[in-house]
Amino acid sequence: MPDSPEALASESRLYSRLRVNAFTLYMLALIAMAVIFTWILSDQYRQEIDAAHERNSTRADLVAEWVNSTFALSEHALRDIAELLEPPLLPRVDDYSSLESLLIKRRDSLPLVNELAVIDEQGSVVVSSNASHPPGFDVSGMPFFREFQQHPQRDDYVSPLLWSAVESDYLIFHVRRLRGLEGGFDGLVVARIAPQRFDDTLQRLTMRLGESMAIIDSEGKLLARRPDGEEVLGGVVTNDEVERFLASNVGTQAVRMQSPVDGEERLYWLQRLDTLPFAVVVGDSIDALLAPWRQRLMILCVIAAAMALLGIWFVRHYLHRLQLSQQLHQRVLEREEARTQAQMREARLEALVHSIQDMIFVFDEYGCFTYIHALNDEQLLHPQNEVIGRHYSEVLPDDVVQALTGTFYRVQHNRESQELEYSLQINGQRRYYHAILSPLADGIGIFNGVLAAVRDVTQAKINEAELRIAATAFKTHLGMIITDARGRILKVNDTFTQITGYKEYEVLGKNPRIFSSGRHDREFYHKMWSEVAYTGSWEGEIWNRRKNGQVFPEWLTISAVRDEKECLTHYVATLNDITESKAAEQEIHQLAFYDPLTGLANRRLFLDRMAAALKDSERHAQHGVLLFIDLDNFKQVNDTLGHYAGDQLLQNMARELSQMLRDSDTLARLGGDEFAVLIQALDRDVEQAAQLAEGIALKLLTAIRRPIDVNNETVLVTGSIGITLLDDSVNSVDGYLQQADMALFQAKEAGRDTLSFFDPNMQAALVSRARLEKDLRQALDNDEWRLVYQPQVDIDSMITGVEALLRWHHPERGIVSPGDFIPLLESTRLINDVGGWVLETACKQLAEWQHRPDTAHLTVSVNISPVQFREDNFVPKVKSILRRTGAPADKLKLEVTETLFVEAQDDTRRKMEHLRSQGLHFSLDDFGTGYSSLAYLAHLPLDQLKIDQSFVRQVLDSPANAAIVESTIVLAKSLGLSVIAEGVETKAHQNWLARHGCYAFQGFLFGRPVAVSEIESIL
C-alpha cells in the first residue's frame, strides 16, 4: 500500500529537522570550542601576569636587600665612630690627625661612601676625610642638619637625593647623632654617599628583554635606572600612580602603566624600603611579557579556523548523504506500491508473527482455527496439529468457550477490537492470559475471520498482586523510606510524614542525614553503614530530629536491595517512633527502682547501690556509713489527720532530708515511715568517719524536728536514727542492714529522737560523752566547779604569784580530768560561762589577798580560751568583773595560747591593747608547741613567755630541747619579755634554767595545785 500524503509530509519534516539539527550541532561545537579556547587563553594570561608579578617582586626584594645592606654598612661605620666620640664629644686637638686618618680609612673601606665627617652642635666641621671640607666648614644650612635641629632626639637620618650647588652633583647623606654626657645633642657623624654608585651597580645586573629597573627616593627623583645609555640621576618621575604610591603608607604595589621615562607600557612592582627614604621600581614590558601568550593565541586561532572549516565540510557531506538517503527511500516506496495487497498483508503478518513473543490465533468466520503461532507447544493446551481446523468450542473449557463466544460475536458484528481475559490449567499450573480479538476482512471488506493476539500475563498477575501487597505494606503503621544507591530519597509513605512532619515533596532527592539529631558521633554512623555493607542490613535504636526540631527516639531498620547481578540498587528503611515505648520503659524503670510516693530510691535500687558501695569501700579502703531513719509516732499522724496527710508528711520529709545530703549520697524510702541513707567514702580513719557520720545524723535529726505544714496543720515529728559504718567487717549487704536495724532499735529503746551506733565500744563512748556533756551543762548550777592554785616562784624560791586552775568535782565521777572536760567546754561553747566564773572567782580571791600584807604582792594568772577571748563582749566582761570585785588590774595576768593568734590578729591586738591600757598583763602559755610565729611576738602586747613543760622536762637529756629553751629565753629577753618555765620538777632543772637566764619557775618542785587555804598556809 503506497504511503499517504501525511507520511510523505512527515518524512519531509524529518529531513528538515535533521538539517536544522546538523547546523545547530555545528554551531554549538563552534561555541564550545570558542569557550574552551577563551578559558585556556585567559588562564594562561593570568599565569603570565602572576609569574611576572612574582619575578618583579623577587627582583625588587634583591635590589632592596642590596640597598639596605649598603646603608647597613654605613650605619655600622657611623655607629663605631660615634662610640669613639661618646663621651666626650670631641677628641683633643692633637687627636684630630688620628681621627682624620680613621675617617679616611673607614671611607676607603666603604665603596659607596665618598666622605666621612664629624660635625659639632653648631654645624661646623670638626674633622673630615675630604680636604675640601676643612675643620670649621659650616654645614648648618644643610637639610640634614636642620632635620636634627627640628628633631634633637632623633638618632639617625638618611636624606633623599639632594643637589649640591658647591659640588654641582647629587648627594645622599647618612647621619647619626652624637650624645653628650646627659644624652643631649652634641653633634653629628656624617657619611656622604655617592648615588652614582647605585647606578653603576644596577648597570651590572643582567636584564631580561623589555625589563626596567629603577631606584627612586621619597620625592620621586631617580637614583639609578636600567636599561643602559640614559642619564637618569636626579630626574623626577612624573606619574600619578608613582606619586600616589610615594604619598601612601603602602609597602608594595603592583600596577600596569606606561613608563614615565620611555613611554613603553609595562607591568610594574613598586616596593618601599622600610627604614630608608627610597623605593624600588621593577617592570616588565607588556609586549615582551605577552609575546608567548600572543603566539599561543595565533596558534589556537589557526586551529579553530581549521576545525571550523573541517566542520563545515562534515556538515555539507552529511547533508548530501541525507539527501541521497531520502531519494533512495522515495524510490523504494515507489516499488512497494506495485506489490499486491495480499503480498503486503502476508509480509506484514509474517513480520508481526516473528517479531512478537505473544501467541497468535486466527479463526475463520465460523470460529474454526486456521492459524496458530506459539514459540513452543508447551504454551498451548493441545498440539497445533490437533487443533487446526477444529472449532474453539471443541478445544477450550466451557467457561472459556462461553466468554469467547460473546467476544467473537461482538467483534463480528461491531467490527471493533475486543479484549478478553481468561485462565487455563496447563501442565498442572494455572496460567492467565490477555487476548485482543480483531476483525479480519477480505479485499472488498467482507468479514472473513478473527485475529486473536494472546499474551501470557501470569507473571504480570503475580507482580500485580505483589504490588498490591507491597502498596498495602507501604501504607503500614511503620514509616518507610526508599533511596537510591547514593542515598537520595525516592519515596516515603504517609506514616513517615506522620512521624517526622516532613511531606514527601520536601525530602525527595535529599539525603537522610537531614534528620540527624547530632547525638551520635561519626564512629556510630561508620559502624552502622559498615554493617549494612557487610551483612546487607542493620537495625537498632537511633535518635533523629523531626521537622519542628524535636529530637525523638526511633527503631530503625535498613536493608540493602541488590539486583540479580548483586549490584546495589536501593536502600529500604523502616522506622518506628518509640517515644511512647521509651517513656513507658522509663516509667517501668521509675516504678521498679523508685518509690512512687516520694520519688526516692526504693529498696531494690538501694540494695544495688549498697552492693556497689561495699565493692568500692574494699577497693579504696574508705569507710562509708549506713543510716536507718524511722519517724517517731508517725502512726498518730495517720490516725488523727488521715492517710493523705501522712503521705504529704512523708513527701515533705523526703524533701527536707534530701536537702541535708550531697548529690552523691543515696536517700531511699524502704517502706512506711522508714528511710535509709547511704554515704560513701567518708574517711579512711574509723574514728574520723564515725564523727562525720554523727554530724550528718544530727543534721538529719534537726531537719526532722522542723515544723511541717500538712492540710493547714503544723505537724511536729521526731526521728530515731541507727548508724553502722561500712568497713571490711561484714561481707554481705544483709549483714549491714541488720546492724543498722539493730542500731535503730537501740535508738528507739533509748527514748527516741536520738541516734545510736551499732559499734558497742563506739556507742559506749558516745553515750559517755553525751552524759558527760549533760552533766557539764549542770555543773555550774550545781556548784561543782573549784579553783586550785599552783605557786610561781623566783630564783630564791619565793612565791611571787599563783596560776588559777579549774577543777570539776563530779558527785559520782569524783575529780574529772581537765583533758576530758576542757575540749567539751570549748566545743559546746560552755567555756564562755564557765570561763567567766573562773575569772570572777580568781579576781575575788586576788582582791581579798590585797588586804593582807603577806599576800598583797601576789599575782594571779588565769587561762583564757580562744573561744572565750573572741567573744564580742569579752573586754567589757573583764572590765565589769574588775569593777565588781575590786581586784587590782596590775596583779591580774591573762594566759593565752598561740591558737588565739591564728585568726583575726588585728581584732586580737586591739582587745589586748585595750586591756593592757587598764593595767592587765598577758602571758603566752605553752610557747613552742604551736605555730611559734615571731610575727605576733613582735606586734602583740605580750608581757611574758611561758616555756612549755614538755621542753623543760627534757633540757637535761635532749640537746635539741635544751637549744629550744635557751633560744626562747634569749628571744624573750631581746623582745623585753619576762620568762617563766612550767613543769620544773627537780632542782637540777631549776639550776639549768637559772644558768641560762630564766629566773621564774612553776612546777611540782615548788608545789602542786592546791586550795586557797593551803597556799595561805605555805605563805
Side-chain angles (χ1 to χ4, degrees):
M1 184 177 182
D3 287 352
S4 63
E6 292 79 4
L8 295 176
S10 175
E11 292 178 0
S12 177
R13 287 194 299 270
L14 176 61
Y15 175 72
S16 299
R17 187 165 60 252
L18 292 175
R19 288 173 55 88
V20 172
N21 290 343
F23 280 112
T24 302
L25 184 62
Y26 172 69
M27 295 305 298
L28 290 176
L30 288 180
I31 293 172
M33 181 178 63
V35 169
I36 293 173
F37 284 3
T38 301
W39 177 80
I40 292 173
L41 289 172
S42 63
D43 184 65
Q44 291 179 348
Y45 180 86
R46 180 183 56 78
Q47 292 179 6
E48 293 289 349
I49 295 298
D50 291 344
H53 283 315
E54 185 68 24
R55 289 194 303 271
N56 291 341
S57 172
T58 303
R59 298 280 279 180
D61 287 340
L62 177 63
V63 175
E65 183 64 26
W66 170 70
V67 174
N68 282 325
S69 63
T70 298
F71 282 95
L73 292 175
S74 64
E75 169 65 19
H76 182 70
L78 293 178
R79 187 183 298 110
D80 289 347
I81 297 171
E83 289 177 354
L84 293 175
L85 301 177
E86 295 177 346
L89 173 62
L90 298 177
R92 297 190 308 273
V93 174
D94 56 359
D95 289 339
Y96 285 170
S97 59
S98 62
L99 180 58
E100 181 179 358
S101 300
L102 174 63
L103 295 182
I104 293 172
K105 184 177 181 181
R106 288 297 179 91
R107 179 202 63 190
D108 294 341
S109 66
L110 300 174
L112 293 180
V113 177
N114 283 353
E115 179 183 358
L116 291 171
V118 178
I119 312 298
D120 63 14
E121 67 271 20
Q122 285 80 29
S124 297
V125 175
V126 177
V127 63
S128 172
S129 64
N130 190 344
S132 60
H133 298 132
F137 185 82
D138 185 17
V139 297
S140 60
M142 296 295 286
F144 68 82
F145 192 82
R146 290 199 302 271
E147 179 69 22
F148 279 92
Q149 285 181 325
Q150 296 172 2
H151 305 88
Q153 297 303 318
R154 189 165 187 167
D155 288 330
D156 59 1
Y157 170 70
V158 176
S159 71
L161 193 63
L162 301 177
W163 173 256
S164 174
V166 176
E167 301 186 17
S168 299
D169 199 359
Y170 284 100
L171 303 173
I172 297 174
F173 293 96
H174 190 175
V175 187
R176 183 173 182 85
R177 181 168 71 101
L178 294 174
R179 298 178 181 270
L181 291 174
E182 298 181 356
F185 175 71
D186 279 356
L188 304 172
V189 181
V190 182
R192 190 184 69 180
I193 297 174
Q196 293 85 356
R197 302 293 179 89
F198 290 102
D199 188 69
D200 294 341
T201 304
L202 201 63
Q203 296 300 330
R204 289 196 295 271
L205 293 178
T206 303
M207 304 289 289
R208 298 187 303 273
L209 180 63
E211 184 180 16
S212 172
M213 189 178 300
I215 304 174
I216 62 176
D217 65 5
S218 58
E219 298 174 355
K221 295 191 291 292
L222 284 167
L223 276 73
R225 183 184 182 277
R226 290 290 303 274
D228 305 332
E230 298 182 15
E231 293 295 334
V232 297
L233 184 61
V236 179
V237 177
T238 57
N239 182 271
D240 294 339
E241 294 289 346
V242 176
E243 292 175 358
R244 279 195 293 270
F245 172 75
L246 294 176
S248 67
N249 294 323
V250 179
T252 60
Q253 181 178 345
V255 61
R256 180 174 177 175
M257 62 181 181
Q258 286 188 340
S259 171
V261 178
D262 57 13
E264 185 175 354
E265 186 179 14
R266 288 187 173 91
L267 187 65
Y268 285 98
W269 181 267
L270 310 179
Q271 181 167 329
R272 188 190 307 275
L273 276 65
D274 293 337
T275 59
L276 299 175
F278 306 115
V280 177
V281 181
V282 179
D284 263 347
S285 171
I286 294 297
D287 292 337
L289 173 66
L290 297 180
W293 179 82
R294 291 192 178 101
Q295 184 178 4
R296 286 191 290 270
L297 173 62
M298 292 301 298
I299 293 173
L300 289 178
C301 288
V302 171
I303 294 173
M307 292 180 69
L309 293 176
L310 185 61
I312 291 175
W313 182 85
F314 273 116
V315 171
R316 181 174 176 278
H317 178 71
Y318 171 75
L319 294 178
H320 180 67
R321 293 290 300 270
L322 190 62
Q323 184 178 9
L324 292 177
S325 176
Q326 185 187 27
Q327 293 174 357
L328 178 61
H329 180 66
Q330 185 64 31
R331 291 174 183 174
V332 171
L333 292 178
E334 292 175 356
R335 286 196 301 268
E336 287 295 330
E337 291 179 1
R339 294 183 180 182
T340 64
Q341 184 177 0
Q343 291 175 334
M344 185 182 301
R345 183 185 303 152
E346 184 179 355
R348 290 178 180 176
L349 182 59
E350 190 69 22
L352 177 63
V353 168
H354 290 287
S355 64
I356 60 177
Q357 300 292 318
D358 298 339
M359 295 181 292
I360 298 175
F361 300 94
V362 180
F363 302 92
D364 60 14
E365 64 269 25
Y366 304 108
C368 297
F369 289 96
T370 60
Y371 178 80
I372 297 177
H373 163 72
L375 294 179
N376 55 69
D377 288 342
E378 293 180 357
Q379 294 179 292
L380 300 175
L381 191 60
H382 302 285
Q384 294 187 30
N385 56 359
E386 297 179 5
V387 176
I388 296 297
R390 299 174 62 184
H391 194 271
Y392 61 79
S393 60
E394 300 174 6
V395 178
L396 300 176
D398 293 341
D399 55 341
V400 179
V401 170
Q402 184 178 357
L404 182 57
T405 300
T407 305
F408 199 93
Y409 176 81
R410 288 191 295 274
V411 172
Q412 182 177 1
H413 287 81
N414 298 334
R415 302 295 177 91
E416 293 179 353
S417 297
Q418 298 290 323
E419 294 184 7
L420 173 65
E421 289 189 358
Y422 63 95
S423 64
L424 294 174
Q425 193 78 14
I426 300 178
N427 297 327
Q429 294 183 352
R430 176 64 61 177
R431 310 295 297 180
Y432 296 88
Y433 300 95
H434 179 269
I436 299 178
L437 282 68
S438 302
L440 296 176
D442 56 14
I444 59 176
I446 298 175
F447 176 79
N448 65 353
V450 173
L451 171 68
V454 181
R455 174 171 297 179
D456 188 341
V457 294
T458 303
Q459 188 61 44
K461 287 286 186 182
I462 295 174
N463 293 341
E464 182 181 354
E466 292 179 351
L467 286 175
R468 283 196 301 270
I469 295 171
T472 303
F474 200 67
K475 298 182 181 299
T476 184
H477 67 284
L478 297 177
M480 297 190 70
I481 308 174
I482 300 176
T483 72
D484 61 13
R486 298 177 61 184
R488 292 177 299 211
I489 297 175
L490 303 176
K491 183 72 175 175
V492 297
N493 65 354
D494 294 338
T495 307
F496 167 85
T497 300
Q498 295 172 7
I499 293 175
T500 66
Y502 287 98
K503 296 187 180 299
E504 185 176 29
Y505 70 86
E506 295 176 319
V507 298
L508 292 182
K510 297 182 179 179
N511 192 286
R513 68 171 60 96
I514 64 174
F515 313 127
S516 175
S517 64
R519 292 195 178 185
H520 306 288
D521 55 15
R522 185 186 300 273
E523 182 65 21
F524 172 84
Y525 291 107
H526 176 72
K527 291 182 178 179
M528 180 180 74
W529 287 111
S530 296
E531 185 172 345
V532 173
Y534 182 73
T535 65
S537 64
W538 178 90
E539 64 175 343
E541 183 179 318
I542 190 172
W543 288 83
N544 273 338
R545 189 180 301 276
R546 305 186 204 270
K547 181 180 178 181
N548 60 9
Q550 178 187 3
V551 176
F552 71 101
E554 66 180 24
W555 188 264
L556 179 65
T557 302
I558 302 176
S559 300
V561 180
R562 300 180 182 273
D563 58 15
E564 61 277 3
K565 297 181 180 180
E566 290 300 316
C567 294
L568 180 66
T569 60
H570 297 83
Y571 290 107
V572 177
T574 61
L575 55 102
N576 184 22
D577 187 351
I578 59 173
T579 303
E580 294 182 0
S581 61
K582 291 286 286 186
E585 179 182 340
Q586 180 64 29
E587 184 177 358
I588 293 172
H589 181 270
Q590 186 73 18
L591 293 174
F593 294 101
Y594 292 90
D595 177 50
L597 177 62
T598 62
L600 301 178
N602 62 10
R603 179 179 292 274
R604 178 179 177 183
L605 179 58
F606 187 78
L607 294 179
D608 290 345
R609 293 188 179 177
M610 272 286 296
L614 292 183
K615 294 180 180 179
D616 189 66
S617 177
E618 293 176 1
R619 187 182 305 112
H620 300 290
Q622 290 272 8
H623 292 90
V625 64
L626 172 63
L627 298 91
F628 270 13
I629 304 172
D630 188 80
L631 301 183
D632 301 329
N633 302 321
F634 175 74
K635 185 175 181 300
Q636 296 178 0
V637 177
N638 277 338
D639 294 342
T640 57
L641 299 179
H643 289 281
Y644 177 72
D647 291 344
Q648 285 187 304
L649 174 61
L650 292 175
Q651 290 172 346
N652 290 331
M653 192 60 63
R655 186 164 51 252
E656 291 289 337
L657 295 177
S658 297
Q659 293 175 356
M660 295 294 106
L661 301 172
R662 305 171 300 179
D663 293 338
S664 58
D665 302 333
T666 300
L667 173 63
R669 180 185 176 218
L670 302 184
D673 60 341
E674 190 176 37
F675 297 88
V677 178
L678 174 63
I679 302 174
Q680 297 177 246
L682 274 179
D683 202 276
R684 292 179 180 270
D685 182 69
V686 63
E687 294 183 0
Q688 185 66 25
Q691 293 182 8
L692 293 174
E694 181 187 12
I696 295 170
L698 291 174
K699 288 199 304 180
L700 294 176
L701 286 176
T702 302
I704 294 172
R705 296 187 191 111
R706 291 174 186 165
I708 296 177
D709 292 332
V710 176
N711 287 344
N712 298 323
E713 295 283 346
T714 300
V715 179
L716 296 174
V717 295
T718 59
S720 301
I721 300 180
I723 309 172
T724 183
L725 292 179
L726 304 181
D727 49 25
D728 55 357
S729 61
V730 180
N731 296 326
S732 67
V733 173
D734 291 338
Y736 285 111
L737 294 177
Q738 291 176 0
Q739 289 184 359
D741 196 50
M742 293 174 61
L744 178 62
F745 177 77
Q746 293 175 4
K748 286 185 173 292
E749 287 293 316
R752 307 193 178 194
D753 192 22
T754 187
L755 59 91
S756 176
F757 276 87
F758 171 77
D759 185 356
N761 296 329
M762 192 179 301
Q763 182 65 22
L766 290 173
V767 170
S768 175
R769 184 177 181 275
R771 291 177 179 174
L772 187 64
E773 181 181 339
K774 180 180 177 181
D775 294 343
L776 197 64
R777 293 182 183 276
Q778 301 173 355
L780 189 60
D781 296 334
N782 296 337
D783 194 23
E784 298 173 3
W785 296 115
R786 300 289 185 272
L787 277 187
V788 295
Y789 300 92
Q790 186 174 23
Q792 296 176 341
V793 302
D794 59 12
I795 189 64
D796 298 321
S797 299
M798 298 297 296
I799 298 177
T800 59
V802 295
E803 180 181 3
L805 300 173
L806 182 63
R807 295 292 183 266
W808 183 14
H809 287 255
H810 193 276
E812 297 178 358
R813 301 171 184 263
I815 302 298
V816 181
S817 171
D820 293 334
F821 68 79
I822 292 296
L824 262 181
L825 285 175
E826 292 185 338
S827 63
T828 58
R829 305 191 72 85
L830 291 173
I831 192 67
N832 293 320
D833 296 332
V834 177
W837 178 86
V838 171
L839 184 61
E840 186 161 0
T841 303
C843 287
K844 287 180 181 178
Q845 186 61 53
L846 181 61
E848 182 180 339
W849 280 342
Q850 293 304 304
H851 301 296
R852 296 173 53 179
D854 56 339
T855 59
H857 68 284
L858 294 180
T859 63
V860 176
S861 298
V862 179
N863 290 284
I864 302 297
S865 167
V867 176
Q868 182 183 0
F869 194 92
R870 293 191 184 107
E871 286 292 317
D872 295 337
N873 63 343
F874 176 73
V875 173
K877 183 183 290 186
V878 173
K879 294 169 65 177
S880 176
I881 291 173
L882 290 174
R883 284 195 305 269
R884 287 198 308 271
T885 59
D890 60 335
K891 293 292 191 295
L892 180 61
K893 188 187 304 178
L894 302 183
E895 291 193 7
V896 295
T897 60
E898 299 176 40
T899 309
L900 177 64
F901 310 129
V902 176
E903 299 178 359
Q905 288 191 17
D906 294 338
D907 182 65
T908 302
R909 184 176 64 252
R910 284 194 298 269
K911 289 181 178 180
M912 292 178 66
E913 289 176 346
H914 184 81
L915 292 175
R916 204 159 182 261
S917 67
Q918 303 296 317
L920 278 79
H921 298 282
F922 286 92
S923 175
L924 182 59
D925 194 10
D926 300 333
F927 181 76
T929 61
Y931 299 94
S932 302
S933 171
L934 300 182
Y936 59 74
L937 289 180
H939 294 90
L940 295 177
L942 296 170
D943 299 284
Q944 186 182 64
L945 288 185
K946 196 170 193 179
I947 303 174
D948 189 72
Q949 59 184 346
S950 61
F951 297 112
V952 173
R953 290 172 180 169
Q954 301 184 40
V955 294
L956 301 178
D957 303 322
S958 172
N961 282 277
I964 292 174
V965 173
E966 184 177 0
S967 301
T968 302
I969 296 171
V970 174
L971 174 65
K973 290 184 177 181
S974 65
L975 294 175
L977 305 178
S978 63
V979 183
I980 184 171
E982 67 176 356
V984 180
E985 299 180 353
T986 65
K987 193 66 177 177
H989 288 132
Q990 183 185 15
N991 293 336
W992 188 95
L993 291 168
R995 287 197 306 272
H996 289 84
C998 178
Y999 307 119
F1001 314 98
Q1002 178 181 343
F1004 290 170
L1005 178 63
F1006 311 105
R1008 295 177 178 272
V1010 294
V1012 175
S1013 58
E1014 296 187 35
I1015 288 290
E1016 292 175 349
S1017 64
I1018 294 173
L1019 289 172

